[in-house]
């Protein structure tokens, strides 16, 4: 990335300005959100920890936090309104996935094809998972972006680690608390004790994972700000989550 002089600007001043890497981060966010919900969300995994014993966690925990990291980067570099647009783009992609999964599962299989039961097992809960994800993400991701944007103003742009981790605690807490009960409560293979353990472990793991990646977040944010030549503050932003206006 080439560098240009860095300037502090209000988010509203970006209207009509060409942004070099915004679309790439939007694409990355949507891809990670989709794959985390399709591949990782449905499987509870287990490892045996020393001095603790079996520990159950959602298999997508290693990848889903990257969507929050990208959300932090988008809010920090481009402002809340553009992060909000990316979140709604992700919701649209999830909705398309849900419709597609429902149609594919419902179509009669060709005679002799043995994969229908596997398809139903993996994709049959698509609507429930997607609706749970959209509800949890509405609360979690918007809370994450709001907290980060407001903390940036309060800290005058200092202490990036404080606002990325602080916003993550709020966002991931809401996301884990909402998503797993809505998606899996009452399903076979998800007893209530295991569900509670997964909620707690998901929150702790996702928060710890994002905190561990703070140096990477610093690197990406600083390089991206220099490449775009700006440092956005949401001083006049309308923080409603309803809408995509920038």
């Amino acid at each position: 990335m080439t560098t240009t002089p860095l300037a502090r600007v209000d988010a509203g001043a970006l209207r009509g300005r060409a942004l070099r890497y915004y679309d790439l981060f939007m694409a990355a966010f949507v891809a990670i959100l989709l794959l985390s919900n399709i591949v990782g969300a449905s499987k509870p995994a287990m490892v045996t920890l020393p001095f603790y014993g079996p520990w159950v966690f959602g298999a997508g925990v290693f990848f889903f936090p990257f969507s929050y990291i990208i959300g932090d980067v988008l809010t920090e570099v481009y402002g809340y309104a553009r992060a909000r647009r990316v979140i709604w783009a992700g919701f649209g992609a999830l909705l398309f996935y849900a419709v597609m999964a429902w149609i594919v599962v419902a179509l009669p299989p060709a005679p002799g094809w043995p994969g229908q039961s596997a398809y139903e097992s993996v994709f049959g809960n698509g609507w429930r998972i997607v609706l749970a994800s959209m509800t949890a993400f509405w609360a979690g991701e918007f809370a994450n972006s709001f907290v980060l944007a407001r903390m940036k103003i309060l800290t005058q742009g200092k202490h990036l680690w404080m606002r990325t981790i602080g916003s993550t605690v709020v966002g991931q807490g809401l996301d884990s608390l909402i998503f797993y009960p809505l998606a899996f409560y009452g399903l076979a293979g998800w007893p209530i004790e295991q569900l509670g353990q997964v909620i707690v472990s998901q929150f702790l793991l996702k928060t710890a994972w994002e905190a561990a990646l703070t140096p990477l977040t610093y690197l990406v944010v600083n390089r991206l700000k220099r490449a775009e030549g700006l440092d956005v503050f949401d001083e006049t932003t309308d923080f409603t989550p309803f809408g995509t206006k920038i």
Side-chain angles (χ1 to χ4, degrees):
M1 296 181 182
T2 58
T3 60
T4 54
L6 188 64
R8 171 172 173 162
V9 298
D10 180 68
L14 291 185
R15 295 188 183 94
R17 175 170 176 167
L19 301 173
R20 301 170 62 188
Y21 300 102
Y22 173 73
D23 56 341
L24 298 179
F25 279 86
M26 174 184 285
F29 179 92
V30 172
I32 292 172
L33 177 62
L34 274 177
L35 293 173
S36 297
N37 281 275
I38 295 172
V39 179
S42 299
K43 180 180 179 179
M46 186 185 75
V47 296
T48 301
L49 299 178
F51 311 109
Y52 182 83
W55 190 15
V56 178
F57 60 95
V61 69
F62 299 111
F63 306 99
F64 181 73
F66 283 104
S67 66
Y68 270 82
I69 293 173
I70 294 177
D72 286 346
V73 171
L74 285 164
T75 305
E76 176 69 23
V77 178
Y78 298 108
Y80 176 88
R82 282 173 173 77
R84 175 177 58 197
R85 174 170 286 198
V86 171
I87 295 169
W88 284 117
F91 284 174
L94 280 174
L95 183 59
F96 175 78
Y97 152 67
V99 173
M100 181 177 175
W102 175 72
I103 293 174
V104 170
V105 170
L107 285 172
W113 184 64
Q116 181 65 19
S117 60
Y119 249 68
E120 292 175 356
S121 176
V122 175
F123 298 111
N125 293 323
W127 272 109
R128 182 170 176 177
I129 290 175
V130 168
L131 289 175
S133 177
M134 293 176 70
T135 303
F137 226 70
W138 187 89
E141 187 63 45
F142 281 123
N144 179 80
S145 293
F146 173 80
V147 171
L148 189 145
R150 297 302 298 171
M151 287 185 67
K152 184 174 183 179
I153 296 174
L154 292 174
T155 60
Q156 291 297 301
K158 301 177 182 178
H159 312 304
L160 175 60
W161 65 270
M162 184 185 297
R163 54 185 180 272
T164 58
I165 296 176
S167 63
T168 294
V169 169
V170 176
Q172 296 283 19
L174 287 173
D175 190 281
S176 297
L177 189 62
I178 294 171
F179 174 72
Y180 277 92
L182 287 181
F184 302 114
Y185 180 77
L187 294 181
W190 286 87
I192 187 64
E193 296 82 4
Q194 180 174 292
L195 188 62
Q197 186 177 359
V198 168
I199 292 171
V200 174
S201 64
Q202 288 292 101
F203 168 70
L204 294 176
L205 282 173
K206 287 187 289 189
T207 303
W209 184 220
E210 186 163 347
L213 292 173
T214 295
L216 176 62
T217 304
Y218 263 86
L219 176 65
V220 173
V221 164
N222 290 333
R223 292 195 64 188
L224 195 56
K225 283 182 179 179
R226 291 195 298 269
E228 298 285 13
L230 52 83
D231 192 8
V232 173
F233 285 74
D234 286 288
E235 294 172 321
T236 61
T237 298
D238 179 2
F239 284 101
T240 177
F242 303 103
T244 59
K245 183 179 178 180
I246 55 176

